[in-house]
């Protein structure tokens, strides 16, 4: 029996890192001063825990929003759904992928267009068929062509009462920060907040 318990303890010691619990948003907030870069491991924890990342939030609207579906540090990387207003009449959503290195999250040219879905902004009705196919062609035509965009994140603040955290995203193009592409992000940890956010046209 003693040998069995020792074997079980040894096995638990081997597998316990796989079951590590992410630090809470509040615990992460206590680690950083405003303006300091967030470590990759904490970015991953925030991606797993936040209900939605709202970019440049203003009066419950976002320039675009992201929901992280799968977050890993290995080759499988990060899978997320991004939503934005394509125009004043249409919202689009698509699934994209990226990967972490030691310090940055980098896109690698995953073809997100086939996953594109669309709805009418006025009534939420789904757009399909030829109209959706034509919209996907527009998305292809409007892609920038950059496949090496990378990002890191600066901690700004945490609001325990509102269950939100503010970060700043910095974008690197060709290894150099492009200040014109910086974005302020509000992370919402309350599921009820998701339904109240909309996209700005």
């Amino acid at each position: 029996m003693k040998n069995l318990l020792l074997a079980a303890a040894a096995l638990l010691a081997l597998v316990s890192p796989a079951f590590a619990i992410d630090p809470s948003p509040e615990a992460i907030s206590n680690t950083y001063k405003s303006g300091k870069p967030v470590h990759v491991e904490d970015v991953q924890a925030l991606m797993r825990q936040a209900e939605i990342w709202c970019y440049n939030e203003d009066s419950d609207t976002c320039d675009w929003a992201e929901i992280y579906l799968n977050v890993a540090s290995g080759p499988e990387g990060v899978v997320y759904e991004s939503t934005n207003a394509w125009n004043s009449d249409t919202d689009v959503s698509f699934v994209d992928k990226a990967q972490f290195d030691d310090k940055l999250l980098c896109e690698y040219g995953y073809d997100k267009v086939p996953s594109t879905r669309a709805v009418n902004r006025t009534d939420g009705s789904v757009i399909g068929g030829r109209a959706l196919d034509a919209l996907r062609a527009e998305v292809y035509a409007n892609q920038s062509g950059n496949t090496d965009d990378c990002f890191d994140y600066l901690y700004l603040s945490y609001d325990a009462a509102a269950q939100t955290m503010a970060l700043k995203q910095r974008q690197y193009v060709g290894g150099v920060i492009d200040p014109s592409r910086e974005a302020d992000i509000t992370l919402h940890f309350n599921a009820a907040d998701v339904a109240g956010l909309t996209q700005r046209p």
Side-chain angles (χ1 to χ4, degrees), residues 91-159:
D91 280 346
V92 296
S93 297
F94 54 83
V95 174
D96 206 347
K97 295 184 180 183
Q99 290 178 329
F100 282 102
D101 63 16
D102 292 339
K103 295 183 179 181
L104 303 175
L105 175 69
C106 294
E107 297 175 346
Y108 56 89
Y110 174 77
D111 186 4
K112 62 191 179 187
V113 178
S115 71
T116 301
R117 297 177 293 113
V119 298
N120 289 300
R121 291 174 56 84
T122 53
D123 60 9
S125 59
V126 174
I127 297 171
R130 292 173 179 166
L132 178 59
D133 186 61
L135 190 148
R136 287 174 174 167
E138 288 182 35
V139 175
Y140 271 125
N142 281 272
Q143 289 187 131
S144 66
N146 289 328
T147 59
D148 63 345
D149 293 346
C150 294
F151 310 88
D152 69 358
Y153 304 89
L154 305 181
Y155 172 79
L156 298 180
S157 63
Y158 176 67
D159 186 332

Side-chain angles (χ1 to χ4, degrees), residues 35-38 104-105 149-154 167-173 176-179 181-185:
K36 294 299 182 181
V38 182
L104 303 175
L105 175 69
D149 293 346
C150 294
F151 310 88
D152 69 358
Y153 304 89
L154 305 181
L167 303 178
K168 182 178 289 293
Q169 178 180 271
R170 299 189 297 185
Q171 183 168 348
Y172 296 70
V173 179
V176 179
I177 294 175
D178 182 350
R181 301 190 185 191
E182 290 182 355
D184 291 327
I185 317 169

